Amino acid sequence: MALSLSTTIVRQPHGSSGLAPRDWRPVNGDLMGKKLNFIQKTQKKNNVKSSICMTLTGIATGEAKLRDLDMEKRDPRTVVAVILGGGAGTRLFPLTKRRAKPAVPIGGAYRLIDVPMSNCINSGINKVYILTQFNSASLNRHLARAYNFGNGVTFGDGFVEALSATQTPGEEGKRWFQGTADAVRQFHWLFEDARSKDIEDVLILSGDHLYRMDYMDFLQSHRQSGADITISCLPMDDSRASDFGLMKIDGKGRVVSFSEKPKGNELKSMAVDTTVLGLSKEEADKKPYIASMGVYIFKKEILLNLLRWRFPTANDFGSEIIPASAQEYYIKAFLFNDYWEDIGTIRSFFEANLALTEHPSRFSFYDAAKPMYTSRRNLPPSNVDNCKITDSIISHGSYLTNSFIEHSVVGIRSRIGSNVHLKDTVMLGADYYETDAEMKSLLAEGRVPIGIGENTKITTCIIDKNARIGKNVIIANSEGIQEADRSSEGFYIRSGVTIILKNSTIKDGLVI
């Protein structure tokens, strides 16, 4: 580490106390070359300690080593991210009827996979595997469009690869992914090929969470602690703690035990002092539990050992491998005290989307420094004609005419006709446009174009892509039905939310 030219050297007479000496004169760094002879001549006279230069050199060298060590602990080139996107997503059905969970649209213009992918890009991580299995066609298509080398997102010497479940030799290789750990196990050899020679840690991510996170902070904490495994966790209060897998930690933040969705006395026993992880005393009293986010960092060699030898038949990280490793390996908790939502159910999907319309919203896609990436669509701005829009998001490429949009999210390429009222509705939009001629032809035949027809009223609803909703339709679930399968008519009701199926048609005048 070279010293700055503006460095000031203090000449201190021999025998002084070192505490603010009176007889000192600064020598400016930019004149050091000219002053050198003067210092050498006056050193003997004033008996200046020669250790000054040695001390400065020692400080500079120490600072350089510390800085190099800090940079090493934050080096994104030595970490690979694995995004798990292969689950069937039954709790998100029917949105997952024809697509994988990570491919489900969110926020009007994005897909769930864009969240961990953007977090990786914004963290500098450029080596990413996405493990897919169920209904992966639309997910693979989106990844190819959004994260290739021609769309402005660059990965340098890195890569983004979708790895679909596939058969390999042997009995084990004939199975589908049985869980998160089994999915990684089936591709364990990737961590030992030539591209992975510099990889030290493996970051395991989920493809269906909504949050912003700098994974480099996570990685640095993992490396500084010397942990074998680090788990990102959320502080929780009593009202939500029973919905999650909880962890217990000791006074140094080491994880010592786990409990899956505990209740009653078992829940109380999982309370910990969360000030250990950095919470204030006041906040720690309100949130005495820590819940796993399902985001992990493993030392590469530890991960391979766990998957191959220690637990060769275990299928899941969160419920099997990690709890069983707590006594043998050093597992550390890392506190993430910010917005995070598991988009695992219809109700959570519905509420997370509508929460984006709050002012201010707890999660926002609007951050110029850390943008959320998605596929380039080259759509025009939305055309809004004589509409009233409150607390809503209108995505690009949409047409809205003389309508009232209230507390709703309207996706790309949406068409909303005259005198339509949307309230508490998530409209996912469309994959393509119908021309004016096509729309006129459909109407002339008594059929329904893509979009929402005039005089229609919709509330508490999710409208999947390319849905055709006719004129004078009412969708309100006024009877408060919680679950219903009306797929033959183009919709389901899940958790009290009406879901209009993708590519379905709701005929003129229907009341739901």
Side-chain angles (χ1 to χ4, degrees):
M1 175 182 178
L3 290 174
S4 169
L5 289 179
S6 62
T7 302
T8 298
I9 301 178
V10 178
R11 294 174 59 244
Q12 182 176 313
H14 179 67
S16 68
S17 66
L19 299 174
R22 293 181 181 179
D23 184 20
W24 64 270
R25 286 173 291 171
V27 178
N28 292 328
D30 56 357
L31 297 175
M32 283 181 69
K34 298 178 182 178
K35 294 285 186 179
L36 184 58
N37 290 334
F38 171 75
I39 294 172
Q40 288 174 340
K41 290 177 181 178
T42 57
Q43 253 184 348
K44 192 170 184 179
K45 178 180 177 182
N46 295 316
N47 201 15
V48 178
K49 288 185 177 179
S50 62
S51 61
I52 292 175
C53 292
M54 294 175 61
T55 303
L56 285 171
T57 303
I59 292 172
T61 304
E63 288 179 351
K65 288 181 178 178
L66 287 173
R67 188 176 67 177
D68 291 343
L69 184 61
D70 185 58
M71 291 297 292
E72 182 182 343
K73 289 178 178 177
R74 292 185 64 87
D75 186 358
R77 295 171 299 179
T78 59
V79 61
V80 63
V82 178
I83 303 176
L84 303 169
T90 53
R91 296 183 301 158
L92 263 180
F93 184 88
L95 298 179
T96 51
K97 185 177 181 181
R98 291 286 182 267
R99 58 168 79 92
K101 267 197 303 184
V104 172
I106 192 167
Y110 303 89
R111 293 178 186 257
L112 284 170
I113 190 64
D114 294 329
V115 175
M117 279 301 307
S118 297
N119 283 338
C120 285
I121 294 169
N122 292 329
S123 300
I125 295 174
N126 67 351
K127 299 179 179 70
V128 184
Y129 292 115
I130 302 101
L131 304 188
T132 67
Q133 174 170 281
F134 182 83
N135 276 344
S136 58
S138 62
L139 175 59
N140 291 337
R141 188 185 310 121
H142 176 75
L143 291 170
R145 290 174 177 174
Y147 304 104
N148 61 58
F149 293 98
N151 69 349
V153 179
T154 57
F155 294 93
D157 61 347
F159 53 83
V160 175
E161 291 186 7
L163 305 173
S164 298
T166 183
Q167 288 192 352
T168 56
E171 282 302 314
E172 297 296 320
K174 295 180 180 180
R175 303 181 309 173
W176 289 109
F177 296 156
Q178 301 299 304
T180 57
D182 185 61
V184 177
R185 182 187 293 110
Q186 291 196 33
F187 284 99
H188 67 84
W189 50 270
L190 285 169
F191 303 126
E192 294 180 321
D193 67 10
R195 290 189 305 179
S196 298
K197 60 183 174 58
D198 296 325
I199 298 300
E200 298 174 11
D201 296 285
V202 181
L203 174 64
I204 307 291
L205 305 170
S206 176
D208 58 354
H209 295 166
L210 183 61
Y211 65 111
R212 281 185 187 275
M213 185 176 183
D214 186 342
Y215 296 136
M216 284 299 99
D217 292 340
F218 187 24
L219 179 69
Q220 187 177 33
S221 174
H222 167 74
R223 290 181 174 175
Q224 284 181 333
S225 69
D228 298 313
I229 306 167
T230 303
I231 305 173
S232 188
C233 59
L234 295 162
M236 284 284 168
D237 58 19
D238 287 280
S239 63
R240 299 185 64 197
S242 291
D243 297 331
F244 295 90
L246 302 184
M247 298 178 289
K248 200 157 189 176
I249 57 173
D250 64 16
K252 295 183 179 179
R254 179 170 183 161
V255 178
V256 294
S257 65
F258 296 81
S259 182
E260 185 66 23
K261 298 182 180 180
K263 292 178 173 59
N265 291 333
E266 187 183 357
L267 172 62
K268 296 299 181 183
S269 69
M270 295 303 294
V272 297
D273 180 9
T274 47
T275 59
V276 170
L277 300 178
L279 285 188
S280 66
K281 185 67 170 67
E282 182 181 0
E283 194 169 11
D285 290 339
K286 294 178 181 177
K287 298 178 178 180
Y289 307 100
I290 52 172
S292 171
M293 291 170 56
V295 175
Y296 319 114
I297 292 181
F298 289 81
K299 286 182 178 178
K300 184 178 77 171
E301 297 306 322
I302 296 295
L303 176 64
L304 293 176
N305 181 60
L306 290 171
L307 293 176
R308 289 171 173 171
W309 312 113
R310 291 290 291 111
F311 306 104
T313 60
N315 293 325
D316 190 69
F317 283 120
S319 62
E320 296 178 73
I321 288 182
I322 293 178
S325 304
Q327 301 304 317
E328 184 176 350
Y329 295 94
Y330 178 15
I331 303 178
K332 183 82 164 50
F334 172 81
L335 186 73
F336 179 74
N337 192 20
D338 207 337
Y339 179 88
W340 175 88
E341 192 63 51
D342 180 0
I343 312 297
T345 65
I346 288 295
R347 175 55 68 173
S348 64
F349 172 83
F350 180 68
E351 292 178 350
N353 271 278
L354 293 184
L356 297 172
T357 68
E358 296 174 357
H359 303 284
S361 60
R362 290 192 296 155
F363 179 89
S364 175
F365 286 97
Y366 306 94
D367 187 337
K370 297 179 179 180
M372 283 290 173
Y373 296 89
T374 190
S375 58
R376 181 186 293 176
R377 303 182 180 95
N378 300 321
L379 291 172
S382 290
N383 188 314
V384 180
D385 179 18
N386 192 33
C387 297
K388 181 179 179 181
I389 302 172
T390 63
D391 300 327
S392 297
I393 293 172
I394 309 298
S395 301
H396 37 287
S398 297
Y399 290 85
L400 283 68
T401 304
N402 192 32
S403 51
F404 180 21
I405 314 298
E406 180 182 5
H407 194 227
S408 296
V409 175
V410 177
I412 58 173
R413 303 188 191 91
S414 293
R415 287 185 180 270
I416 299 178
S418 180
N419 199 33
V420 168
H421 183 190
L422 291 190
K423 181 179 180 181
D424 300 334
T425 293
V426 179
M427 186 174 182
L428 302 189
D431 291 316
Y432 58 93
Y433 288 118
E434 288 177 333
T435 65
D436 290 341
E438 288 172 333
M439 292 171 63
K440 288 179 181 177
S441 175
L442 288 168
L443 290 170
E445 297 172 6
R447 296 163 64 192
V448 181
I450 290 177
I452 302 176
E454 60 187 35
N455 301 319
T456 289
K457 309 291 186 280
I458 301 175
T459 186
T460 316
C461 184
I462 298 171
I463 304 170
D464 208 338
K465 283 192 169 184
N466 311 326
R468 303 168 185 269
I469 300 177
K471 304 174 183 178
N472 304 304
V473 171
I474 297 176
I475 301 175
N477 189 16
S478 56
E479 297 179 4
I481 296 171
Q482 290 300 298
E483 305 290 333
D485 179 354
R486 303 278 289 277
S487 53
S488 60
E489 299 174 61
F491 70 94
Y492 281 82
I493 298 177
R494 300 287 305 274
S495 301
V497 180
T498 305
I499 305 153
I500 307 302
L501 295 174
K502 184 177 182 179
N503 301 320
S504 64
T505 299
I506 303 299
K507 296 181 179 179
D508 294 350
L510 184 66
V511 176
I512 300 175

